[in-house]
Amino acid sequence: MSNQALNDSRFTKEAAEWDSNSKHVESTQQAFDAIKRYVPGFKNGQSKTMRILEIGSGTGLLSYLLAPQIHSLIGVDTAKGMISAFNTKRAEISNPNLSAINHLLTDPDSPVLQAACAEFESSGAAEPFRFDLVVSHLTLHHIEDLASVFKTMFGCLKRGGCVALTDYEDFGREAVRFHPVSKRPGVEHHGIKRVVAEKLLLEAGFEAVRVEEAYVLRKKVDEEEEMERVEGEMAFPFLMVYGVKG
Ligand SMILES: C[S@@+](CC[C@H](N)C(=O)[O-])C[C@H]1O[C@@H](n2cnc3c(N)ncnc32)[C@H](O)[C@@H]1O
């Protein structure tokens, strides 16, 4: 089974319980706060006009935090169960400004994405739809080809748009402990390396690139042979991976 298929199966199984894990909620709230610090639209009053694409939207933890402050958001996620959980929440609100599709996005002009944009954003224009902001939380480490996904994100943006992506940092061998052993299959990267993300963003065409620690999440980890002994919770730095399409 491919890592993608493993992930899709794992996240479909975990979707119903996803939001009841307090660490998922805490880390998403911190990601949301970081996005508001980095993306100018949240500081200069322009966020209400922003059309957002979210890669790996899951149950919508981040999407539903963003929703009141933006124009609209389309999420893509490869796990059917995550999309169902997202849609269960969506059914409970009137006039939702967010939507999610079960899709592996590898092309900004993807007919599946463009059809969703035409329907949801009422974009009847001849030109393919482009976004003001791409966000993604805790998803990059599940994507094997980061160079390729950064290029796709670049293509999905309008000029002047930006990416604000959050994930835990690969700070060395202990970073592997973010996932218990049982959840390691399907993990493509045990965290994101700063220098790698920075280089790949620049190669994709981004400007004003910043890859830096945005916050720290503390959580319990299992004791493991040949690893440091951890009293209480272990600290995991989270990176903001930011760049602008000039
Ligand atoms: C750790 S979960 C995070 C979900 C959500 N962002 C959150 O923080 O609650 C990773 C998510 O990425 C999705 N995913 C994995 N690979 C993906 C890919 N190539 N494209 C889009 N979504 C993907 C998974 O299905 C899962 O929903």
Side-chain angles (χ1 to χ4, degrees), residues 2 33 38 42 44 52 59 65 68 75 90 99-100 112 129 131 156 161 167 191 215 218 231 237 243 246:
S2 69
D33 293 342
Y38 276 79
F42 289 99
N44 65 17
I52 300 184
T59 62
L65 284 175
R90 188 176 187 265
S99 163
V112 176
F129 191 83
F131 296 86
C156 287
D167 209 334
Y215 61 91
R218 286 170 207 285
E231 300 289 343

Side-chain angles (χ1 to χ4, degrees), residues 101-122:
I101 51 173
N102 184 211
H103 184 47
L104 175 61
L105 183 67
T106 56
D107 174 3
D109 297 341
S110 143
V112 176
L113 176 66
Q114 291 302 323
C117 295
E119 187 185 336
F120 183 62
E121 299 282 358
S122 311

Side-chain angles (χ1 to χ4, degrees), residues 10-151:
R10 173 193 156 195
F11 288 114
T12 286
K13 282 194 202 106
E14 291 186 15
E17 300 300 321
W18 189 262
D19 292 6
S20 54
N21 182 322
S22 63
K23 289 295 167 184
H24 293 164
V25 175
E26 184 185 331
S27 95
T28 309
Q29 179 65 51
Q30 288 179 298
F32 176 56
D33 293 342
I35 289 166
K36 288 189 291 179
R37 289 198 305 273
Y38 276 79
V39 179
F42 289 99
K43 288 183 281 193
N44 65 17
Q46 295 297 307
S47 70
K48 270 284 183 189
T49 66
M50 281 176 12
R51 271 97 170 153
I52 300 184
L53 172 67
E54 181 176 359
I55 310 283
S57 43
T59 62
L61 280 179
L62 178 60
S63 337
Y64 287 86
L65 284 175
L66 287 164
Q69 303 200 20
I70 61 170
H71 179 275
S72 53
L73 179 148
I74 295 184
V76 293
D77 199 288
T78 46
K80 283 199 174 90
M82 288 298 207
I83 299 292
S84 305
F86 186 107
N87 285 336
T88 300
K89 291 189 221 171
R90 188 176 187 265
E92 287 164 11
I93 50 180
S94 57
N95 299 320
N97 63 343
L98 69 188
S99 163
I101 51 173
N102 184 211
H103 184 47
L104 175 61
L105 183 67
T106 56
D107 174 3
D109 297 341
S110 143
V112 176
L113 176 66
Q114 291 302 323
C117 295
E119 187 185 336
F120 183 62
E121 299 282 358
S122 311
S123 67
E127 296 293 307
F129 191 83
R130 297 296 183 241
F131 296 86
D132 301 293
L133 171 66
V134 177
V135 297
S136 176
H137 177 58
L138 273 175
T139 299
L140 291 178
H141 70 267
H142 287 293
I143 298 181
E144 181 188 11
D145 189 347
L146 293 177
S148 174
V149 78
F150 288 161
K151 281 181 197 153

